[in-house]
Amino acid sequence: MRRALGGLAGLGGLSWLLWLTVQWLQIEPPGVSGAAGLPDVAVAGGRLKHYTPQGALAWSLSAEAIELDQRARTTRARGVTIAFFPPEPGGAGPLRVEAQALSMDTLSNDLTFEGRVEARDELGLRFQTEGGRWSDEAQVLEGDAPVQV
């Protein structure tokens, strides 16, 4: 009888220790990002740089706010200015793009622009559109709506 009670007390102690561990670690069910749906990382005012596999600077982004959601594999930014650099050194200058917001798929490094998008190069070519996409593999910027030049 004593042995059975000791086993039950040990099991109760283990359950209590497990409950404390879960509370301390704040373990969440799969698919829930951050506490109460918040991003895993949020930065007010920040910069991101993306490099090619060869180590050249592909693009440089500055934003009013940047949020990382590791479970959804996305990075979101608001108030964005991004410079896309040419693949070959010594080529044309960077293409500068301003957008209200963007999201980046952290696996493909593709960017999706939201809201008004304005792009311009150092020669003065300028265009505007609503929304757009940057394909990291193709190195192409596409608008979602008619483009005004």
Side-chain angles (χ1 to χ4, degrees):
M1 177 82 166
R2 232 182 232 189
R3 191 174 222 181
L5 288 176
L8 286 176
L11 186 58
L14 182 61
S15 297
W16 182 76
L17 181 61
L18 182 59
W19 179 82
L20 280 177
T21 303
V22 168
Q23 296 304 310
W24 182 70
L25 292 176
Q26 293 296 306
I27 296 173
E28 298 176 13
V32 176
S33 176
L38 296 174
D40 295 306
V41 177
V43 178
R47 296 183 187 276
L48 293 176
K49 291 184 178 183
H50 175 62
Y51 295 89
T52 67
Q54 297 76 28
L57 182 60
W59 52 257
S60 176
L61 171 144
S62 63
E64 295 170 6
I66 301 171
E67 298 178 347
L68 170 66
D69 185 337
Q70 292 176 333
R71 290 175 188 91
R73 295 183 297 229
T74 59
T75 299
R76 295 192 41 78
R78 286 183 290 110
V80 175
T81 300
I82 187 167
F84 293 100
F85 295 92
E88 289 99 32
L95 175 66
R96 299 199 184 281
V97 178
E98 294 180 5
Q100 293 172 336
L102 71 73
S103 60
M104 179 179 83
D105 181 311
T106 57
L107 291 178
S108 67
N109 294 317
D110 290 347
L111 306 173
T112 301
F113 295 94
E114 301 167 16
R116 188 172 149 262
V117 178
E118 184 176 321
R120 62 187 176 286
D121 68 8
E122 65 181 15
L123 300 175
L125 179 63
R126 182 176 153 243
F127 71 86
Q128 295 181 94
T129 187
E130 288 295 318
R133 288 176 308 286
W134 169 261
S135 168
D136 192 60
E137 184 178 347
Q139 300 285 296
V140 172
L141 177 65
E142 299 174 332
D144 286 344
V147 173
Q148 296 177 357
V149 180

